[in-house]
Amino acid sequence: MRQVFTGLLFAALTCAVASCNRNSAGQQSAGSVPSSSTQFFSVTGLVKELKQDGKTVVIQHEEIPNYMQAMTMPFEVRNSNELAGLQPGDQVSFRMLVTDKDGWIDQVRKFGSTNMTPEPPRDPFRRVRFVEPLNVGDPMPDYVFTNELGQVIHLADFHGQALAFTFIYTRCPFPNFCPRMSSNFADAYKRLSSAPEAPQNWRLLSISFDPEHDKPEVLRSHAKRYEYGTNHWSFVTGALIDIDAITEQFGLMYPREGVGFNHNLRTVVVDAQGKVQKVFTGNEWKVEELVAEIVKAATAK
């Protein structure tokens, strides 16, 4: 009977999500040309790396007035020809386009080149814990965090619940990164909260890796953007030694760049028995995939 119920629940949620996706797909197709709400910025920078996917370039860019501090970060292009012939060390100009939920670059032009200099050494005195990588099926260790209400919470507190967490920092400006993770969590929260057949034993955590800035009051202000409920979603941070440990276990890197971070992305689902069920890498996973994993995780026995 439990298997039948779970199957029906998956079907109901999949049906609802498919309908939502058809609407989203139509909007995306219609919006492939920049809309009137798109912001445009002219930027210059230094190419640091070209990713193997052929559409991502890491650029150390100048300050973008009224939008972003100078930092090093990956940018995507819609047309891979934009990156043809580029090499690390090339000086480039480009146009950055930003919408509420997306960002990319085009009109990439090389205007010079320079020798790459080694990165400065990192602070050798940062305390770290030795941890092993975590894979699907591994038990999730207990970590201690402080939430946006100033309350101390343990991951062990959520045993018996499906737990999904992602990593952010509140000052992250580019919509493809932390804002997309939070927006996806907000959509998942709404779908799980409104579906009549959805499980009740689930929890979302947005974990900040910027504890120096993202104090509880900052997290509380940030959380208000997403019309969330504290019964199912918390914004947390913790001691840097613990943040370093949990991010390392899932392969998330976040070297500091000025006031920001040059970071990658990880989103993790832990089942109700406390075992890692799914690790999403990058930013291209879909909300319906996360919802399905949470529903599955909630039924783990």
Side-chain angles (χ1 to χ4, degrees):
M1 181 64 73
R2 182 178 299 277
Q3 291 176 335
V4 172
F5 170 77
T6 302
L8 291 172
L9 177 55
F10 270 120
L13 284 170
T14 301
C15 217
V17 166
S19 174
C20 183
N21 283 346
R22 285 193 294 271
N23 292 337
S24 297
Q27 292 171 357
Q28 196 168 35
S29 175
S32 57
V33 175
S35 70
S36 58
S37 62
T38 304
Q39 298 183 74
F40 299 86
F41 301 92
S42 296
V43 191
T44 61
L46 179 69
V47 174
K48 304 288 283 187
E49 181 184 357
L50 292 154
K51 299 292 188 180
Q52 292 185 350
D53 63 7
K55 64 177 184 178
T56 306
V57 56
V58 179
I59 298 177
Q60 179 183 344
H61 66 79
E62 64 182 4
E63 179 182 358
I64 304 173
N66 302 316
Y67 188 77
M68 191 189 305
Q69 296 284 335
M71 66 176 69
T72 301
M73 62 181 293
F75 293 99
E76 289 187 1
V77 296
R78 297 287 174 87
N79 184 345
S80 60
N81 290 335
E82 293 274 5
L83 305 182
L86 289 183
Q87 300 180 51
D90 287 345
Q91 295 170 308
V92 293
S93 63
F94 56 94
R95 184 175 69 164
M96 184 175 77
L97 302 88
V98 181
T99 67
D100 287 343
K101 293 191 176 183
D102 203 2
W104 67 99
I105 66 172
D106 65 9
Q107 300 181 9
V108 183
R109 302 288 183 269
K110 174 182 174 181
F111 64 85
S113 61
T114 184
N115 292 326
M116 296 284 287
T117 56
E119 296 291 335
R122 297 173 186 253
D123 182 357
F125 300 108
R126 182 162 166 174
R127 293 173 57 239
V128 297
R129 288 164 48 187
F130 178 77
V131 292
E132 295 285 349
L134 286 174
N135 299 303
V136 170
D138 289 342
M140 185 68 211
D142 188 21
Y143 280 97
V144 181
F145 298 108
T146 301
N147 68 16
E148 77 279 13
L149 304 177
Q151 300 166 335
V152 175
I153 62 173
H154 295 250
L155 291 190
D157 295 340
F158 307 117
H159 189 79
Q161 301 184 54
L163 175 65
F165 57 85
T166 194
F167 300 95
I168 65 164
Y169 73 105
T170 63
R171 292 182 287 183
C172 185
F174 207 55
N176 294 28
F177 290 87
C178 305
R180 180 175 292 182
M181 298 302 97
S182 296
S183 177
N184 283 356
F185 265 36
D187 288 345
Y189 172 87
K190 291 173 184 175
R191 294 181 188 188
L192 287 164
S193 298
S194 60
E197 305 283 336
Q200 296 300 308
N201 58 325
W202 57 273
R203 189 81 179 197
L204 306 178
L205 291 183
S206 294
I207 303 173
S208 170
F209 48 78
D210 186 15
E212 181 181 352
H213 177 267
D214 289 345
K215 307 296 185 186
E217 60 273 16
V218 175
L219 291 171
R220 186 164 59 250
S221 176
H222 182 76
K224 290 178 180 177
R225 305 178 187 182
Y226 298 102
E227 300 179 357
Y228 79 116
T230 57
N231 57 327
H232 282 300
W233 189 3
S234 297
F235 292 74
V236 306
T237 192
L240 187 57
I241 191 170
D242 290 330
I243 299 295
D244 280 344
I246 190 173
T247 53
E248 182 176 343
Q249 290 196 287
F250 291 105
L252 184 134
M253 297 174 288
Y254 60 104
R256 183 176 285 279
E257 295 282 350
V259 299
F261 298 87
N262 176 17
H263 67 94
N264 56 0
L265 296 165
R266 294 290 186 273
T267 301
V268 180
V269 178
V270 179
D271 70 24
Q273 293 302 302
K275 294 183 179 180
V276 177
Q277 176 177 293
K278 178 72 176 181
V279 180
F280 294 100
T281 62
N283 62 359
E284 295 186 357
W285 54 268
K286 306 301 182 185
V287 173
E288 58 268 22
E289 296 176 297
L290 178 64
V291 170
E293 290 290 342
I294 291 172
V295 171
K296 177 183 175 183
T299 63
K301 296 295 183 183

